């Protein structure tokens, strides 16, 4: 294992300088195992660059700074030196991925029971930098991830899809894994990606799109060596590979006449497929399945339930310890817009809640965080509260499909943090984070690609970092995560940049919401690619994504009293809060209620005036973000190319925000006939 070196690619949150504190000291690494070797290699690479020492002797000896030293050790390792022994004894068991960190008698110590913990401990030291070696003793701190699985899903295709391209909803160039139908010859970048992910706390990656097309289906058969090659690059950083599979694989790949999950031959086919995969990749994570959704095949074709469907894959994976991520994103995408009784928001709960308790132990039901589809504002999905006897994973979208497509700054950690802290059963009950960490963990759609900055917009790196950190600990403060990311990403300059980064990024999700989607209305985007405004673009389509705006009012009546009854899918108190026009939070009003434009919000404004005000304010906020960034020009705090790219994207964000403002305001002015109370220009 060698630490990957890339040229021409931005180092994101692991620039060489981030290893200065470790690399300039004498470091002792003790223990056996592949991930311990990774730690050793990391330390050796840091030392080679920064002139510290590493060896089998005592920490704190020659070769580094006088009196400095560091021990990274497995708690059961031979020859554990005194400070590490004492820290291990005081810390007690650290678990499979946890570690303890302390500083005693001038030696900084990380101890872990298992190699993965040591790797995460190393990255903790990287985050701390010099602070890890401050002269004073540091009491023992124990760290362990909240969720056992912290996963990224890639929507990467092998063969370039005629409409969706190489990466579906990808805004960061091509796939890190494949190019034009072939596995990339040089996978160094995949290893560098794994390294970044491990430093953020991720430990699982699904490598291909959940929409499984003909070429990608073959990852289970004659392209299995590609899975093995990618898995080999992820493994040194503790990341397991998972693969998205098509439910119809027994037919498509196996030539069977059916994919009926209750058919014996089908069950055998899946068992053989799993055996083959594990023969090639012993630490394979499992399958991800999008079934009966947006044209993907599924068990409904055979009159079977999704529990039956998931079970056949689960049974195949169980002997190997693998899991099935079965997605709950099931709805009718061929809806008749004239039919007001069908409500896409209801679909996942209607399909899955009755199956609670019927899924096998190794099935994880992967639920999008909202009931629709990653809109800038949605309530939490009611499925999260409706299936206490099922392991649930909550799915987030790091790729910014509906939040500016990595052309707009939109720091998503505040949104995720808010929804993870939401308590579906009220203040006394468990939170969304509790459900996820006690169940299947957190999953997100990745925003990374072969772009030189990894994520298209350089500042979108913060979203990838923040997802990993929140999956590790959902209670982390988004602003503190931003500091961490900035300290690592801009070594030596973070102090000068912090104010600007917070001013631009902390509130950027709310700013985005202001100039796009007011009060929980979603999908006012251009159909297909989903960038830019189109107020009625999805209004009369089969996708079930409506706002029902007319000359009198706007919003979707999802109440039990007069609407689709969706509010009834929530437990109390939210079923009552959302049902009530008076108690429903303003930001979700139009998600739950259809109201006249003159309806007065809890905040005191009318709905129409709120639409105007927020759209003007959103654009002003973008102008302020831009002015702030421009001030950095020539400051020496940011590399000029980085600065230029962000500046260029902010200009596009401003153009787009103005377009949103003008289209949304004009549309609602024309529909309602109500002028802006402040007389601003509406076209
Ligand atoms: C991978 C939305 C996106 C699709 C995506 C789908 C999903 O509908 O627009 O591109 O498909 O979600 O999550 O499966």
């Amino acid at each position: 294992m060698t630490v990957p070196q890339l040229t021409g690619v931005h180092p994101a949150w692991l620039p060489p300088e981030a290893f200065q504190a470790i690399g300039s000291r004498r470091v002792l690494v003790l223990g056996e195992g592949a991930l311990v070797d990774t730690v050793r290699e990391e330390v050796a690479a840091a030392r080679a660059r920064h002139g510290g020492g590493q060896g089998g002797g005592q920490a704190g000896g020659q070769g580094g700074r006088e009196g400095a030293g560091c021990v990274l050790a497995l708690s059961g390792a031979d020859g554990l030196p005194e400070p590490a022994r004492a820290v291990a004894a005081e810390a007690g068991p650290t678990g499979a991925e946890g570690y303890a960190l302390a500083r005693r008698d001038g030696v900084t110590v990380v101890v872990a029971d298992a190699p993965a913990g040591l790797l995460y401990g190393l990255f903790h030291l990287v985050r701390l930098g010099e602070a890890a070696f401050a002269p004073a003793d540091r009491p023992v701190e124990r760290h362990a991830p909240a969720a056992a699985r912290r996963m990224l899903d890639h929507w990467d295709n092998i063969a370039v899809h005629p409409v969706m391209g190489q990466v579906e909803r990808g805004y960061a160039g091509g796939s890190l894994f494949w190019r034009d139908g072939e596995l990339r010859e040089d996978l160094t970048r995949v290893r560098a990606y794994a390294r970044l992910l491990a430093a953020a706390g991720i430990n699982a990656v699904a490598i291909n799109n959940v929409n499984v097309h003909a070429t990608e289906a073959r990852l289970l058969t004659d392209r299995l060596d590609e899975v093995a090659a990618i898995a080999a690059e992820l493994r040194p950083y503790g990341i397991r590979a998972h693969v998205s599979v098509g439910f119809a694989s027994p037919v498509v790949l196996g030539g069977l006449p059916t994919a009926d999950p209750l058919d014996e031959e089908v069950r055998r086919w899946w068992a053989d497929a799993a055996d083959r995969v594990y023969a090639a990749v012993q630490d394979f994570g499992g399958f991800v399945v999008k079934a009966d959704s947006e044209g993907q095949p599924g068990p409904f074709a055979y009159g079977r339930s999704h529990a039956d469907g998931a079970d056949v894959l689960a049974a195949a994976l169980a002997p190997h310890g693998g899991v099935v991520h079965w997605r709950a994103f099931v709805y009718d995408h061929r809806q008749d817009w004239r039919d007001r009784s069908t409500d896409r928001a209801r679909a996942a709960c209607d399909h899955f809640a009755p199956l609670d308790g019927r899924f096998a132990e190794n099935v994880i039901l992967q639920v999008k965080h909202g009931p629709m589809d990653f809109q800038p504002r949605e309530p939490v999905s009611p499925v999260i509260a409706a299936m206490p006897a099922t392991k649930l994973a909550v799915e987030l979208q790091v790729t910014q499909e509906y939040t500016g497509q990595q052309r707009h700054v939109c720091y998503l950690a505040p949104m995720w943090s808010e929804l993870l802290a939401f308590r579906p059963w009220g203040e006394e009950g468990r939170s969304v984070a509790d459900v996820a960490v006690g169940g299947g963990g957190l999953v997100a759609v990745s925003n990374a690609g072969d772009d030189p900055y990894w994520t298209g917009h350089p500042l979108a790196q913060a979203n990838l970092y923040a997802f990993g950190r929140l999956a590790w600990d959902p209670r982390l403060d988004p602003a503190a995560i931003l500091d961490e990311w900035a300290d690592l990403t801009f070594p030596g300059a973070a102090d000068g940049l912090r104010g600007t980064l917070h001013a631009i990024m902390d509130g950027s999700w709310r700013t985005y919401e202001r100039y796009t989607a007011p009060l929980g209305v979603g999908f006012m985007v251009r159909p297909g690619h989903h960038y830019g405004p189109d107020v009625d673009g999805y209004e009369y389509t089969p996708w079930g994504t409506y706002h029902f705006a007319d000359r009198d009012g706007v919003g979707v009546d999802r109440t039990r009293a007069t609407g689709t009854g969706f509010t009834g899918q929530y437990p109390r108190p939210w079923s009552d809060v959302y049902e009530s026009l008076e108690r429903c939070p303003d930001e979700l009003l139009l998600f739950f209620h259809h109201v006249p434009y003159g309806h007065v919000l809890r905040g005191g404004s009318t709905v129409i005036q709120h639409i105007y005000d927020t759209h003007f304010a959103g654009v002003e906020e973008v102008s302020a973000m831009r002015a702030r960034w421009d001030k950095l020009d020539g400051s020496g705090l940011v590399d000029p190319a980085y600065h230029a790219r962000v500046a260029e994207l902010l200009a596009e964000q401003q153009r787009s925000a103005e377009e949103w403002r003008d289209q949304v305001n004009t549309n609602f002015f024309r529909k309602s006939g109500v002028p802006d109370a402040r007389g601003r220009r509406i076209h």
Side-chain angles (χ1 to χ4, degrees), residues 155 168-169 210-211 290 294 327 329 368 373 401:
W155 287 353
E168 180 153 348
R169 310 306 180 189
V210 289
N211 290 328
K290 171 175 176 176
E294 300 184 332
R327 294 179 85 229
F329 185 58
K368 287 194 182 187
D373 192 5
E401 177 177 1

Side-chain angles (χ1 to χ4, degrees), residues 430-591:
R430 293 188 304 151
S431 66
V432 170
D434 294 335
V435 174
V437 302
L442 284 170
V443 181
V445 186
S446 177
N447 66 349
D450 74 347
D451 167 68
Y453 290 95
W454 296 94
T455 51
H457 202 305
L459 300 181
Q461 289 177 3
N463 284 331
L464 189 56
Y465 183 79
F467 168 69
R469 298 290 289 132
L470 284 171
W472 179 280
D473 182 357
R475 293 162 312 177
L476 290 177
D477 169 29
I481 297 176
L482 192 73
D483 281 336
E484 238 180 62
W485 168 79
D487 286 352
L488 289 165
T489 305
F490 304 101
D495 286 347
L497 286 173
R498 208 168 279 128
T500 301
L501 292 172
H502 281 295
I504 291 177
M505 295 172 76
D506 283 350
S508 54
W509 159 53
R510 284 173 199 280
T511 294
Y512 186 83
E513 180 185 26
R514 280 185 197 109
Y515 63 77
T516 57
L519 305 169
V521 167
F523 286 102
M524 297 197 303
V525 290
R526 302 224 170 95
H529 58 67
H530 299 166
Y531 187 73
D534 188 342
V535 175
D536 288 336
Y538 272 110
E539 199 56 19
Y540 306 103
T541 67
W543 295 93
T545 48
Y546 315 123
H547 53 62
F548 298 115
D550 59 18
R551 64 178 188 173
D552 299 317
V554 55
V556 190
D557 184 353
R558 293 194 159 106
T559 63
R560 306 192 279 292
T562 52
T564 68
F566 171 68
T567 58
Q569 291 188 337
Y570 290 87
R572 286 214 163 83
W574 292 104
S575 54
D576 294 339
V577 172
Y578 292 146
E579 178 78 7
S580 154
L581 195 51
E582 290 72 41
R583 294 173 67 202
C584 183
D586 281 348
E587 68 273 11
L588 287 169
L589 186 79
L590 302 182
F591 195 94

Side-chain angles (χ1 to χ4, degrees), residues 22 24-30 43 52-73 78-85 87 102-111 125 133:
I22 290 175
S24 57
R25 287 178 167 84
R26 186 170 171 83
V27 179
L28 183 65
V29 180
L30 287 174
V43 169
Q54 181 185 19
Q58 288 296 308
Q62 47 172 309
R65 279 180 209 171
E66 272 309 293
C70 180
V71 179
L72 288 143
D78 291 339
L80 214 56
E82 184 37 47
R85 209 191 335 255
V87 172
R103 184 160 170 86
R104 288 269 163 88
D105 307 328
V107 180
T108 296
V109 174
V110 173
V111 285
L125 291 184
F133 303 96

